[in-house]
Amino acid sequence: MLNITVLCVGKLKESFYIAAVREYEKRLKGYCKLTLLELPEEKLPNAPSQAQINAALEKEAQAIFAKLPKRATLVALCIEGKELSSEQLAQKFQQWATSGVSAIALVIGSSYGLHPLVKQQAALRLSMSPMTFPHHLARVMLLEQVYRAFKINEGSLYHK
């Protein structure tokens, strides 16, 4: 069974996001071993300088690397990443699984994104859209797409 870790910078607070995440956790139980890890977002002033943002992203990157499972294939969610259809994402998961990958780590950064080092070390930089979404909503969307990928790969009609 595939081990999937979702590392998220920032804590979910809104009950509707928490409920949606729990629903996908429940749905994914039969398909993978899912681990959700929340890492603290660095505190920044209201109008941070680029230097302050860079320092915060660097600290967040250190926390991400400290929690990454050993030998996990790293996927960084970032706006400049590659856009994949649901079918292409399912195919990517299938390719990894058949090539011996047993662990995937999907990383969602803070509201300022991810440090360049995290993106550079990723096997895949993934973009959900050229639009910007709150990173809390991105977590729900990502979990839904992971679930959809498993359903596609099993031949289910869920994705239709």
Side-chain angles (χ1 to χ4, degrees):
M1 184 174 277
L2 195 58
N3 292 301
I4 296 183
T5 302
V6 179
L7 283 133
C8 308
V9 179
K11 184 169 176 57
L12 281 185
K13 296 175 189 141
E14 299 87 351
S15 61
F16 53 90
Y17 287 140
I18 293 168
V21 166
R22 284 188 183 140
E23 177 62 28
Y24 286 107
E25 283 180 297
K26 187 171 57 175
R27 290 182 186 196
L28 283 162
K29 278 185 192 221
Y31 296 97
C32 65
K33 181 181 180 283
L34 179 67
T35 304
L36 292 173
L37 297 174
E38 290 184 335
L39 304 173
E41 186 171 359
E42 289 298 311
K43 303 285 187 241
L44 287 168
N46 285 339
S49 68
Q50 191 58 53
Q52 290 171 312
I53 293 169
N54 292 344
L57 291 176
E58 187 172 337
K59 283 184 182 179
E60 291 169 358
Q62 290 169 3
I64 289 166
F65 288 130
K67 294 293 185 179
L68 273 180
K70 289 184 180 12
R71 294 183 295 279
T73 297
L74 175 59
V75 177
L77 273 77
C78 51
I79 197 162
E80 69 274 13
K82 184 173 184 171
E83 291 179 38
L84 298 178
S85 69
S86 298
E87 290 82 3
Q88 289 171 318
L89 182 62
Q91 184 178 39
K92 182 63 85 176
F93 275 37
Q94 190 68 33
Q95 287 170 349
W96 283 332
T98 57
S99 68
V101 170
S102 61
I104 298 171
L106 302 147
V107 180
I108 300 171
S110 65
S111 54
Y112 287 98
L114 291 167
H115 190 274
L117 266 178
V118 176
K119 296 176 196 179
Q120 289 168 6
Q121 292 195 22
L124 173 65
R125 288 183 227 166
L126 181 64
S127 174
M128 293 187 161
S129 167
M131 293 186 277
T132 303
F133 299 104
H135 57 280
H136 299 316
L137 178 58
R139 186 182 314 189
V140 175
M141 293 168 58
L142 176 63
L143 289 172
E144 192 282 334
Q145 286 299 301
V146 169
Y147 177 68
R148 185 177 295 268
F150 282 112
K151 297 302 276 184
I152 290 168
N153 286 338
E154 79 174 5
S156 169
L157 295 178
Y158 171 82
H159 74 285
K160 298 286 181 188

